[in-house]
Amino acid sequence: MDLNADLGEGFGRWTLTEDEALLTCVTSANVACGFHAGDASVMRRVCDTAAERGVRIGAQVSYRDLAGFGRRAMDVPADELTAEIAYQIGALRVFAEAAGSTVSYVKPHGALYNRVVRDEEQAAAVVAGVLLAGGRPAVLGLPGSRLLAHAEAAGLAPVQEAFADRAYTPEGTLVPRGRAGAVVHDADEVVRRSVGMAVHGAVTGVDGSRIAVAARSLCVHGDTPGAAALALRVRTALEEAGVRVQAFA
């Protein structure tokens, strides 16, 4: 099982994610590319550290929404979104390659991530942007999403993802952040859920139902308070349960 986290979510003098500490325990880093968070200096620093520690670098692409942290719904024309996805990947690739690594995968962030679960046009536009940027990285997304279907159809490796600290609907999608209980804050529960998804392929939904989860990567959100300590606990618990923690890319 791969363990990923959102990193580089700072901007200028402001920092949000515990990049140094997270890069000691995750195997894949979803690096903000400047549209919801991050800037050139942040991207370079995270890529340098990730490459040094053997952590795979992924482009966490977003709608252009710094003020809303990429979590506000937006209607972006498909051709414009395609260009913006390619732009973000290209920006990160400069720093990844300068560090001796590469952009191994692409993962949408926030509102875009949720939109491309069901929206055919936006999902196709994201994949078109990945293809435009070149390099043929893998695409990380929610199981059963239109994003992964379009990625596979385009010959890109689709990688299914689960979330350690997010609540699930009975349909297997994420509970919207605006609803109560959308984020799981109890660390012990996050660890239990992580092991359950990795070992048993299932998680308990908000209605108490058992939700099947098939995933190759597990996400711990980097902007959660205490994220680094939580990610370390999750990794330790996975390894103690006999799960080999390694990058998918």
Side-chain angles (χ1 to χ4, degrees):
M1 176 70 75
D2 173 65
L3 184 61
N4 79 74
D6 304 340
L7 298 174
E9 291 182 329
F11 190 85
R13 61 182 291 185
W14 291 277
T15 58
L16 180 61
T17 45
E18 303 172 279
D19 297 333
E20 287 283 338
L22 282 164
L23 286 168
T24 65
C25 55
V26 300
T27 49
S28 296
N30 317 319
V31 185
C33 298
F35 272 37
H36 75 280
D39 60 26
S41 295
V42 173
M43 285 190 280
R44 183 179 184 183
R45 183 170 62 248
V46 174
C47 286
D48 285 348
T49 307
E52 178 184 315
R53 297 179 183 175
V55 176
R56 299 297 187 269
I57 296 170
Q60 187 164 42
V61 297
S62 170
Y63 288 128
R64 188 189 293 270
D65 182 26
L66 276 175
F69 197 61
R71 287 180 175 159
R72 297 184 294 188
M74 305 183 95
D75 289 319
V76 180
D79 58 346
E80 184 177 331
L81 181 59
T82 291
E84 292 189 342
I85 296 301
Y87 179 94
Q88 292 175 77
I89 296 168
L92 185 65
R93 182 175 290 137
V94 167
F95 300 115
E97 293 183 352
S101 185
T102 190
V103 174
S104 298
Y105 65 96
V106 176
K107 173 184 172 178
H109 165 82
L112 181 58
Y113 187 98
N114 293 321
R115 181 77 172 264
V116 296
V117 171
R118 296 191 176 94
D119 191 306
E120 292 280 359
E121 183 182 62
Q122 296 279 281
V126 170
V127 171
V130 177
L131 294 173
L132 179 61
R136 306 194 71 78
V139 176
L140 186 59
L142 202 69
S145 66
R146 300 315 304 155
L147 174 70
L148 294 190
H150 280 280
E152 185 171 24
L156 301 172
V159 180
Q160 298 174 317
E161 178 182 36
F163 289 83
D165 51 4
R166 289 294 308 277
Y168 280 80
T169 70
E171 295 75 33
T173 57
L174 301 180
V175 173
R177 279 185 174 267
R179 297 184 188 174
V183 179
V184 181
H185 295 288
D186 183 87
D188 292 336
E189 180 63 16
V190 171
V191 172
R192 283 194 294 270
R193 290 161 63 89
S194 299
V195 173
M197 287 187 279
V199 176
H200 305 295
V203 67
T204 301
V206 288
D207 64 341
S209 62
R210 186 176 176 84
I211 311 297
V213 177
R216 292 173 57 198
S217 187
L218 184 65
C219 177
V220 176
H221 278 92
D223 63 326
T224 300
L230 181 59
L232 181 58
R233 282 194 60 187
V234 168
R235 178 164 186 159
T236 300
L238 291 174
E239 291 174 338
E240 289 176 348
V243 177
R244 184 177 180 183
V245 181
Q246 63 179 19
F248 62 82

